[in-house]
Amino acid sequence: MTVKTGSISIDAQNIMPVIKRWLYSDKDIFVRELISNGVDAITKLKLIQSLDKDEELKITLTLNKEKGTLSFEDNGIGMTQEEVEKYINQVALSGAEDFVKNYTQAEDAGIIGHFGLGFYSSFMAASHVTIDTLSYQEGAEAVRWDSEDGIAFEIKSGERSQRGTLITLHIAEDEKEFLETHRIRQVLNKYCAFMPVPIYFVDAAEEAKKNDEKTAPTPINDTNPLWFKPPRECTDEEYIETYHKLFHTFDDPLFWVHLNVDYPFNLKGILYFPRIRRDFAGQEGEIKLFNRQVYVADNIKEIIPEFLLVLKGVIDCPDLPLNVSRSFLQNDGQVRKISAHIAKKVADKLTGLFKTDRPTYEKYWDDIHPFIKYGALRDSKFYEAMKDVILYKTTEDNYLTLEEYQERNQDKVEKKVIYTADAARQEGQVALYRSRSIDVVVMDTIIDISFLSFMEYSSNLGENTPTFVRVDADISGLEADEEADSSISQKEMENLFRKVTGLDTLEVKLQPLQDEQLNALLTEDEQTRRFADMNALYGRELGLTQQQTLVVNPKSSTIKALVQLKDEKRKELIAAQIYDLARLATRPLEKDDLRRFLKRSQDLIAALAEN
Ligand code: ADP
Ligand code: MG
């Protein structure tokens, strides 16, 4: 063969600057491109030739820090001189497509090709690249290709005696990080951990130290990722092991959904539910997107429904045109279908678990409910699928569906759902409901505020639509079925309590309550309070004064006695104490209020001790 030199076809001049300007952080992508070309070369060989069983088809990446090289070797199909000229020199041409057309009838030949940057990405890290290749064809001659800038090249006879291709990168002066073992291992882990052909990493420096010791090398990758196995054949241990491998963690996931779709698109994957923090603020999941076992990217929002981005997992989808822009993905019908399918699968898994193993489902509930509620708010189809299995946790640690709650409590509170936003602080009021055997549900995460209004306005439950009432918002279920004692005047009570609290707008209402020991209760209108809470959440202080109602129980013997008292001072002392106790049932007292309460309590016991 004569030596040929030339300049890559015109496209290259356009493509090189683009490649060189490629996102700095993604420079390591050349490793993925070169290794996946090796994978393609081996896949092609398997497709056209029956092979000697003893020969391991593999890729070897060798780091030689001393020489400043990184080389990629495969024993795949190799290239003839014409092929090098056609596929390497004419950058714009994707050889993968050509191959599938010429050699196989199969549409799905499993060839990776088409990542976009391809072979030329090697020039992002190298100042000189050589290709030594020998085609599988009978009588083929070895070829050597050489280029320093990816534009001017030389092609001549080579010396390679084994079938396959060796690509050697002389790492550029300012890309020395790619000569560090740990960096290469990190890149291999990121892109190649699940590629379909065994990949070996050889560090020449370490190899030299080892001298004679012979240990069988192990590939850095798992060539049969679990997500391709039929779900029936996978064990829990395997799922957990894959999770550890994917996320380099020792944590265990709560559970998982195995996605396995062939039609109308091809998609395999495993979605894991990690333990989710209660407020899930700032919690980010990690969903890795693969294309035929080659890592492509993380958290592609267009493919994963937004509310599932707190999950972790992998999605392998060869049907996606992954090298195209995000805006294309956003408008692609296929992509939307995939996203909808993922949401549906997750809902199926959860409803299935609810039906077959409710105790386990309940056990997970505390961890998974924020994202389920978020999903319900965001995605009406997801809500429809999930609506019968959304649970409400009670202060007694029961997990009830809305239907169950309504069934158990409707004779006392009708379609209302009594809830607490803070079971510990509101224990005073919670206890009143408990004593009346009314379930109180716990709604104490950020998402709950929006979720309960969603249920009230958009749940499509017709006459079963719930109204959520906080324990301190009204007295449903606590009142007694009798008229107020006429010997006590509403006006007199109002004057008394307004005076001792200094609140001119305090509403006072006489209402017999079931619990005779209870003197009074303080309520705040649910809607006004929610509005204020919402504003507080967004950091807005509206300075609204809350409309509070003091419900005074005329059945209480203390109230009865209070009315009879002649000593005004004493009467006011007791009234002030009753008001503070009513307040304390739902929230702590602060500063001046607390100081006054403590002082008054001391005065009261002092008076008691005197008598
Ligand atoms: P693509 O993989 O999309 O075809 P590349 O730029 O990565 O684009 O590679 C161009 C072509 O060069 C390949 O399709 C293939 O024909 C050839 N090629 C590259 N690397 C190898 C290799 N290791 N063995 C055989 N052929 C190769
Ligand atoms: Mg390629």
Side-chain angles (χ1 to χ4, degrees), residues 68-106:
T69 60
L70 196 56
S71 62
F72 300 75
E73 183 169 25
D74 67 74
N75 49 2
I77 194 169
M79 283 179 274
T80 61
Q81 189 191 339
E82 290 93 303
E83 284 166 339
V84 173
E85 285 177 359
K86 185 166 177 194
Y87 298 126
I88 299 296
N89 293 348
Q90 296 183 32
V91 187
L93 206 68
S94 170
E97 217 170 307
D98 233 26
F99 176 86
V100 174
K101 251 193 278 160
N102 294 337
Y103 291 89
T104 68
Q105 301 309 314

Side-chain angles (χ1 to χ4, degrees), residues 33-34 36-42 44 72 74 76-79 83 87-88 91 93-97 99 111-120 131 133 164-167:
E33 296 293 329
L34 293 178
S36 55
N37 281 349
V39 171
D40 279 352
I42 287 171
K44 289 172 185 172
F72 300 75
D74 67 74
I77 194 169
M79 283 179 274
E83 284 166 339
Y87 298 126
I88 299 296
V91 187
L93 206 68
S94 170
E97 217 170 307
F99 176 86
I111 305 222
I112 297 161
H114 255 332
F115 262 104
L117 294 178
F119 167 75
Y120 278 88
I131 304 176
T133 182
T165 304
L166 171 70
I167 294 180

Side-chain angles (χ1 to χ4, degrees), residues 405-407 409-417 476:
Y405 182 94
Q406 291 179 330
E407 224 166 67
N409 301 289
Q410 68 180 351
D411 54 330
K412 297 171 199 119
V413 297
E414 293 167 358
K415 295 296 175 198
K416 286 179 184 168
V417 175
S476 334

Side-chain angles (χ1 to χ4, degrees), residues 224-235:
N224 294 303
L226 197 61
W227 54 90
F228 285 113
K229 249 176 122 176
R232 264 174 286 108
E233 292 168 23
C234 304
T235 65

